[in-house]
Amino acid sequence: MKTNFSICRPLIFFMFVLTNVSINALPYQNKKTVANFSLDENDTTRYRGHYLYEIAYQTIADMLEGKRNIDLKEANFAIENAYYMGMLNRTTYMQEINRIAKGLEAQAKSPMISAPTIDMALNYCIYLFYSQPQVLNDYNIYQYDVASVLADGGISGGMVATLLETGKGTCRSLPYLYLILAHEIGAEAYIATAPMHYYIRTKDNNGVWWNFETTTHSFSRTEFIRDNFYVSDAGIKSGLYMKNLNDKEYLSLLLYDLLYFYELKTGFFANAFTKKCYFHMEKHRRIMPCL
């Protein structure tokens, strides 16, 4: 009999949540109890990594409110470090991004690169870094992390830290790193969303927008994205899909990631932390994609 996965998936997720609540609340409940939903979700001592999520939230909130300069690599690192319980090496992460950024800037000034504008030259160099073996990427182009998708639904491969280490990523980490690098070197680029997908948009010297698929190193026509990802007219009109996200909208997208990781790790869905994440998401972007 053929299984209807659309029915099974909510059940599987619900079972996962039960397991998580049981793990995180072990000191507070009877061992025979699978889950105790009467426990106070605001008792954040039930999850020992909660403070890392608070740090990540405050980092992004301060950027959204103009209390600190927007720094996409810092914001993304804070989120991924929270997911990995503070085990990421910040120095290694920052040094690798800085190394790549400096290499791209030098490459864009090389006589080997010919482009009508410096912005196109910079974006072209990022494209080459992704798609062409060269010294800067140690002659290894970025690849799609199929193993991660099969192993954990793409969570590990969706981390920029993993991408920097392995050269493999997903449609989260690959466009996220592109945007981080673009910000570092002053290139104009934006992330846009489609159902279950992120991609990069850049503009040429004639004002034409190009859709760069970081997962395949290819450029997609807008009609192709609409048809293959089933994007409705209403989804586009509302600003939910296929829109260039500005810096604050992208930061609110990172808050979405933070909230997703938090709920996945803790099984907490309605405490004060989740509510303030939702508040900033709604304040800076009216609709968030359900990815």
Side-chain angles (χ1 to χ4, degrees), residues 169-197:
T170 68
C171 65
R172 178 191 186 273
S173 56
L174 287 162
Y176 276 24
L177 179 59
Y178 189 112
L179 192 64
I180 289 171
L181 293 173
H183 269 245
E184 291 296 300
I185 64 178
E188 184 181 11
Y190 301 91
I191 275 185
T193 67
M196 303 293 288
H197 187 57

Side-chain angles (χ1 to χ4, degrees), residues 5-28:
F5 186 69
S6 64
I7 296 175
C8 293
R9 184 167 56 181
L11 177 60
I12 293 171
F13 178 73
F14 182 66
M15 292 172 65
F16 176 79
V17 169
L18 291 181
T19 303
N20 260 332
V21 173
S22 176
I23 291 172
N24 290 313
L26 281 178
Y28 299 86

